[in-house]
Amino acid sequence: MPDPKPVHTQIPPSQQASRFARAREVQSRALLEDYVELIGDLIAAHGEARVADLAERMGVAHPTATKTVARLKREGLATARPYRGVFLTDEGARLADRVRSRHRTVVDLLIALGVPPEHAELDAEGIEHHVSRRTLQAFEDFLVRGQARSES
Amino acid sequence: MPDPKPVHTQIPPSQQASRFARAREVQSRALLEDYVELIGDLIAAHGEARVADLAERMGVAHPTATKTVARLKREGLATARPYRGVFLTDEGARLADRVRSRHRTVVDLLIALGVPPEHAELDAEGIEHHVSRRTLQAFEDFLVRGQARSES
DNA sequence: TGAAAAATATAGCCACGGCTACATCAATGG
DNA sequence: CCATTGATGTAGCCGTGGCTATATTTTTCA
Ligand SMILES: [Mn+2]
Ligand SMILES: [Mn+2]
Ligand SMILES: [Mn+2]
Ligand SMILES: [Mn+2]
């Protein structure tokens, strides 16, 4: 495969800039999305979400989890009473559901394309946040098509 | 679509933590990847890569681009002489080629799945960095399969 | 050729998201 | 029932990646 062309420089700089801006924007939301999803999971599984559990499952020290929870509160996605658990606001819960569903769709797509399941999970944890509504719809349509084929 | 199950809490915390750690690791490399790709593109298109052009195309102020170039130098991916352009080391050039090729594959896959081209470019700019070798191979295989079908 | 303009560098600010060390609160059990 | 222990909060450090303002260098052109 010889000389890949620099397609990037063939578009207006401002348009390219807006693509990178979008990626940065998404990135700043990614951590919040993972946290609300995890908080929702923990509440569903154990009735509560403790900071220590968040930290353990995120693989960070607990002050880091505390700080992120503070940001979730600032953004109106979670509430927390000192020395008690963390809870999702309605908005946080809705976001958690969307994120969880999207996560599954991304994993399912990767698996459908032949990626080993555990590998799919690894990649999906980062990919998911950059998948827009439109792309998600395309993933779902593809999965439905594949399902229809295997049923016939 | 009723109650998405909290699959996340059904795996060992340490395994879940390692997935998030991987996503963080990838993220810390993403900006460097975009810069080396862009530097390579600019050199191919204009014979040089100036900090002002990097800043304009990345959509950031030029001190931000300067700082990132400093990091590229520290990481052995680029060189730069003051008030002159930015250049890629051999390692940087190799990385740029890999990143450029992967970017195209991701965009092509999204388009093949029915995502409108400009939309595919937007999402791919973030997705690409989280696509591992294995997943990339799956994407390429799928694209080859589709091509074979349309040729028959 | 030298003054103005453009490009680049530098300084220093901020928010985020890591961390360690330490303080404080809550839960348990001897 | 209170002392210990575990969980949580707080303080303060660091690197990254944004920014603005200012200094310096290079380029341009009158
Ligand atoms: Mn994720
Ligand atoms: Mn996820
Ligand atoms: Mn990118
Ligand atoms: Mn790219």
Side-chain angles (χ1 to χ4, degrees):
Chain A
M1 44 228 76
D3 75 317
K5 280 286 170 48
V7 292
H8 274 164
T9 53
Q10 297 175 351
I11 64 170
S14 66
Q15 187 176 346
Q16 186 171 13
S18 70
R19 290 181 190 166
F20 287 122
R22 204 323 198 81
R24 286 194 298 270
E25 167 68 24
V26 163
Q27 196 48 45
S28 81
R29 290 209 50 125
L31 191 71
L32 301 184
E33 291 181 349
D34 284 333
Y35 267 80
V36 296
E37 181 183 3
L38 179 53
I39 291 168
D41 286 351
L42 287 171
I43 290 175
H46 306 122
E48 62 174 2
R50 310 301 299 227
V51 169
D53 296 335
L54 293 175
E56 184 185 19
R57 288 201 125 87
M58 293 300 300
V60 298
H62 53 278
T64 301
T66 299
K67 221 185 256 191
T68 305
V69 168
R71 199 179 151 213
L72 289 174
K73 288 196 281 186
R74 248 188 300 139
E75 310 249 343
L77 296 171
T79 60
R81 298 195 320 285
Y83 295 99
R84 293 290 179 263
V86 182
F87 310 91
L88 295 177
T89 62
D90 286 354
E91 187 189 344
R94 278 195 303 273
L95 178 59
D97 289 346
R98 277 205 308 277
V99 168
R100 188 176 301 110
S101 162
R102 188 188 58 188
H103 181 112
R104 277 204 319 203
T105 299
V106 171
V107 169
D108 288 349
L109 175 85
L110 294 180
I111 292 175
L113 292 177
V115 180
E118 178 52 30
H119 219 87
E121 281 289 348
L122 262 182
D123 286 11
E125 200 54 77
I127 290 175
E128 55 176 353
H129 307 284
H130 298 272
V131 172
S132 63
R133 286 202 178 290
R134 216 179 177 108
T135 295
L136 187 64
Q137 187 62 53
F139 287 3
E140 285 167 356
D141 291 348
F142 175 80
L143 289 169
V144 168
R145 283 200 300 276
Q147 211 175 318
R149 176 156 312 141
S150 69
E151 275 168 2
S152 66
Chain B
M1 44 225 80
D3 74 318
K5 280 287 172 47
V7 291
H8 275 164
T9 53
Q10 297 175 353
I11 64 169
S14 66
Q15 187 177 345
Q16 187 170 12
S18 69
R19 289 182 191 166
F20 288 121
R22 208 313 203 83
R24 285 193 298 269
E25 167 69 24
V26 164
Q27 196 48 47
S28 81
R29 291 208 50 115
L31 190 71
L32 301 184
E33 292 182 347
D34 285 334
Y35 267 80
V36 295
E37 182 184 1
L38 179 53
I39 291 168
D41 286 352
L42 287 171
I43 289 175
H46 306 122
E48 62 175 1
R50 310 299 300 225
V51 168
D53 297 334
L54 293 176
E56 184 185 20
R57 287 201 125 85
M58 294 300 301
V60 298
H62 41 279
T64 301
T66 300
K67 221 186 258 191
T68 305
V69 168
R71 199 180 152 212
L72 289 174
K73 289 197 281 184
R74 250 187 300 137
E75 310 249 344
L77 296 171
T79 59
R81 297 195 320 286
Y83 296 97
R84 293 290 181 263
V86 182
F87 311 91
L88 295 177
T89 62
D90 287 354
E91 187 188 346
R94 279 195 303 272
L95 178 59
D97 289 345
R98 277 206 308 277
V99 168
R100 187 174 303 110
S101 162
R102 187 189 58 189
H103 181 112
R104 278 204 319 202
T105 300
V106 172
V107 169
D108 289 348
L109 176 86
L110 294 180
I111 291 175
L113 292 177
V115 180
E118 179 51 32
H119 218 87
E121 281 289 349
L122 263 181
D123 286 13
E125 200 53 77
I127 289 175
E128 55 177 352
H129 308 283
H130 298 273
V131 171
S132 62
R133 286 201 180 291
R134 221 185 172 103
T135 295
L136 187 63
Q137 187 62 54
F139 287 3
E140 285 166 355
D141 291 349
F142 175 80
L143 288 169
V144 167
R145 282 200 301 274
Q147 212 175 316
R149 177 155 312 143
S150 69
E151 276 169 4
S152 67

